[in-house]
Amino acid sequence: GARTRPIRLARAVAEWKEFSANAIKTTTRGKTTIMKPEGHALDIATVGLGQAGGNLAAEFARRGYRAIALNTAHTDLASLDAGGVFPEMPEGRRLYIGLEGYDGAGADPIYGRQCIATHKERIRMAVLEEAAAADVLVLACGLGGGTGSALTELIGVLEEDGIPMIALMTLP
């Protein structure tokens, strides 16, 4: 419930602080790389929620990271086809999570939460298939009032799998 979220957040922050205190940070040509204490780079996977999140996940995929896009709109997922405006996302890494008869949340975060709750097992399986071995999961979304604004519902679905998560959010 709402009372346990601050405790979970505090625990996650404490775990991140402990990890980053032991991490090796190197800077080459102005780019900082965080590495595990063993000297290996972090294994990052990305989940994009909604149109903005899907576009960000596609960019991560283009740069060689494992990524998956979740959306309630077929049209937004189709915009990730080759030759589109946004980077291409392979079809197998795009998951439609909408409800029959609808195409997108239309600035209705309640619909987005409902879709995530309805498809939570499909979402968990798809994310675990893509990110089970990841050190950290980057959750990307836009907070414009649609599917991406249901990010807290997605966190609730994924938190029991124990993969540390970081949220990357954009504002309209």
Side-chain angles (χ1 to χ4, degrees):
R3 300 181 113 188
T4 61
R5 288 194 185 189
I7 295 168
R8 289 184 194 144
L9 178 60
R11 186 175 58 229
V13 168
E15 289 172 4
W16 176 254
K17 284 182 179 177
E18 179 183 336
F19 171 82
S20 58
N22 295 320
I24 300 167
K25 297 176 181 89
T26 60
T27 303
T28 308
R29 293 185 215 127
K31 180 179 178 184
T32 300
T33 302
I34 299 174
M35 302 179 82
K36 294 186 267 186
E38 306 85 48
H40 301 288
L42 284 175
D43 186 1
I44 297 172
T46 304
V47 176
L49 180 62
Q51 182 178 13
N55 296 340
L56 288 165
E59 182 61 29
F60 272 83
R62 186 184 73 77
R63 293 173 183 256
Y65 293 96
R66 288 174 290 145
I68 184 169
L70 309 173
N71 207 309
T72 59
H74 289 291
T75 51
D76 292 346
L77 291 173
S79 73
L80 301 175
D81 286 340
V85 174
F86 303 107
E88 177 184 2
M89 172 73 84
E91 185 141 353
R93 294 160 123 189
R94 301 182 232 168
L95 182 63
Y96 174 72
I97 59 169
L99 302 177
E100 191 64 36
Y102 293 92
D103 191 39
D108 182 1
I110 295 170
Y111 173 74
R113 287 194 295 274
Q114 182 183 8
C115 291
I116 291 169
T118 300
H119 296 287
K120 67 183 177 183
E121 283 309 310
R122 282 183 57 224
I123 292 168
R124 281 189 67 238
M125 297 309 294
V127 171
L128 284 175
E129 182 179 318
E130 197 63 38
D135 294 315
V136 66
L137 188 59
V138 175
L139 304 177
C141 70
L143 298 178
T147 305
S149 294
L151 179 66
T152 56
E153 187 75 26
L154 180 62
I155 291 170
V157 168
L158 300 176
E159 71 182 343
E160 65 190 62
D161 296 314
I163 302 171
M165 294 178 269
I166 296 172
L168 172 62
M169 299 166 281
T170 63
L171 293 172

